[in-house]
Amino acid sequence: MSFRFALLGLAATLPLGLPAKAQELPQLRVAMPEDADAMDPTTGRAYVQRVAMLNMCDSLFTYNSKMEIVPRLALSYEWADPQTLVVKLRPNVAFHDGTPVDAASVKYSIERHATYQGSARRGDVSSVAAVEVVDPLTVRFRLKSPDVVFLSQLGVRAGVLVSPKAAEAAGKDFPLNPVCAGPYRWVERVAQDRIVIERVPNYWDAANYHFSRVTFRPIADSTVRLANLRAGSVDVNMNIPPVDADSVRKDNRLKLYTFDGLGYTGITVNMGRNNTTPGPFGTDPRVRQAFDLAIDRDALVSVVFSGVHAPNAYPVPPTSPFFDATLPQPKRDLAKARALLAAAGVKTPFTVQLTVINNPESIQVAEVMQSMAAEAGFELKLNTMEFVSSLDAADKGNFTAYMVGWTGRPDVDGNLRDLLYTSGGTNYVGYKNAQFDTLLDQGRSTGDMAARMATYRKIYQGLREDLPIIYLYSARWSFGMAAKVEGFEPVADGMLRLNGVKFAR
Amino acid sequence: MRGHLGVRFAQVIPTLLLVSIMVFCLQQLMPGDPALVLAGEERDPEVLEQIRRELKLDQPLVFQYFYWIGNVLQGDLGFSWRIRQPVTELVATKLPVTLQLATMAFIIAVFIGVPMGVLSAVKKNTFWDYLANGIGLAGLSTPNFWLGIMLILLVSVHLGWLPPSGYVPLTEDWRQSLATTIMPAFVLGNAISAVLMRHTRSAMLTALQQDYVRTARAKGLSEHLVVIKHALRNALVPVVTLGALELGTLLSGAVLTEQVFSIPGFGKMIVDAVFNRDYPVVQGVVLVTATVYVMLNLVADVLYVMINPRLRGA
């Protein structure tokens, strides 16, 4: 081979047309606890689906580590009045198919969320009366009534934009090849095996994304998920159970991130769901108050979750801006609990059927409560059920008390409205409280945080009296990562935001 | 023989029809409304109605069945309600995975179970017999998920020899493919090898007492030939039956093993589908599995004839 040909050969190996840096970037492998559902921001519902889509499908806004809403595809926003939100868009941004991100695409995406068959976002955008294109980079949302919560929806899936061109062309097949605007684009999905996305080199913030590809792998068994992390087969494990948290913390090859979530776990009480006739547990608040006083939340969380989760008797976690630290957390008081039961005139031991989802953690929580409640005069009978069956029973009102969690929303309204508002879609309690409804509507009508908090304080106090849901604890996220992963900033929504995340050199 | 096989072929159609009716009816007995699962956490009544309408859940069951079976007869198994992919495509992706795993597990089971059974029968009431029985008993009584997790911790985490989970197709990288499937295949094969060992042992013990074996020995044939050529060949007929049944079971998806090793095969798919009430996937997988199962039994019938010439005139 001549010298000239050798040079040509060498030249052929150089990364022509591609930035040298892109070729050197490593890949990230992420283990998730389950497989995602439809990869479409409009129809997707599962948490893991949002995790996999978040770095591929930007929304108008997003959240920072303090759970403050910050612009993403948007550049800024302004409330023209409590019913009109004007959003300015980031210029020179395109979807992965080259279609520009403009006001028309915002209008298309929001209307798709509102009208698409099987949309899971209808409730999120239900307050929108009209989406108006002011100019190519300005969009105006006219709302049916004052609703400051709407802005928070634009920071989650309802604010995700899809390429109108791709969505129209793909129709129902859009989840097979989703096209959005984000730092990564779609590569492939093998159901139950992997979802792969790759970096977009010309993304407006590409410098902050340090992995060439990201592979999300569903690994259902927590022991196997952790074994994968320890063996180096994955770099991130998005769900470390509390029982394993300590061993991860002590392993110097790994890092543990434990941080507050947005939701809660509680006991939903049937107070007349589906026109059922509840017993004293549903009709007499004193019986529920007695039960509430029989539970030692600190001990419960310490015994079952090694203290990882936060004991909490309110619907928002302690780190939420909507948490009211001035309100007391109830302490166990058996004497008062027994007195309340006596005042209610029920025969002890008073039997309560508790529907529990048949996973080991929930059953353990229920068993600990069973022994605690027994000391106050309750006989807690556990009715363990598989998740979907339990949902069905709750929907039909075939339960007395149902222990279930809520993943949580950034705004407190999202932790209350669907679950307790008279017409709420998930109001399994069958709660009908006009004063509560009025206060909840009042809470979303103003952007003034002090005024909102004053309203929610009244709501929390009312809920503590009435106890339609007996809140037990706020679950915390536990992510395990290889020690070489750095730059991760935990956000309470439990997402894996990859901006700034990289491997240590 | 042709007549016999012809009858068996003819039985396939009503069998599969019956399977389709049974799987459709049985899953209706499962508690839980699929629309509730599909709607996610926020269950707007209007959305629930829309989902029911779209998936024809608001139609009478008979209509739903005929709608589904009509499409199946045209080669369309529907689409997954949860992940919105065609079931045919999902089955086509998962079937090779499950086939590979099942075949490897079966080969491991045969290579361990049959020789152990033969050894145990030939060396009856000796140390080797007790050892083989002990290994068989251990194989039968060890839960798959426990063995799987222990192997992952030992082989992958501590020794770092094999990947702890996942799957790479044979066509993509055969070395990686074998590396990802050898542990789950061993776990699966381990339990089946114990069953095969027990059956081979008992069939061999019966065969070794037969007149033709005595005659073969009297003719002065070596013990090796007597055991392998005369006794084992006859003893294999019930073992083949059992093998076909076990292979069929493997094809329906090794649920726990696939779950533990995150192998994206039929087992994992059907578990996820049942928990999410993804009916088209459940129906599609069960129907395909039943078809394969029935076909395997046909193959076993043909193998009987090949192994035992006396059946050729039947």
Side-chain angles (χ1 to χ4, degrees), chain B residues 29-30 61 79 107 115 118 141 146 156 190 193 213 231 239 253 260 311:
Chain B
L29 295 177
M30 281 199 286
L61 281 183
F79 69 96
I107 291 171
V118 173
S141 29
W146 182 84
S156 305
N190 168 60
S193 72
V213 170
V239 176
V260 167
L311 294 174

Side-chain angles (χ1 to χ4, degrees), chain A residues 35 45 122 191 407 409, chain B residues 38 41-42 46 82 94 165:
Chain A
D35 197 15
R45 289 152 173 110
R122 280 167 57 108
T407 55
R409 303 291 179 269
Chain B
L38 289 168
E41 270 191 330
E42 289 150 27
E46 264 184 60
R82 183 172 147 81
K94 308 294 169 197
S165 66

Side-chain angles (χ1 to χ4, degrees), chain B residues 33 60 65 81 94-95 105 116 119 153 158 167 179 190 209 247 277 287 289:
Chain B
D33 178 354
Y65 173 75
W81 291 348
K94 308 294 169 197
L95 191 59
M116 266 195 349
L119 180 75
L153 292 177
H158 289 287
Y167 174 75
N190 168 60
Q209 285 164 5
L247 187 59
R277 303 295 190 270
L287 202 61
T289 309

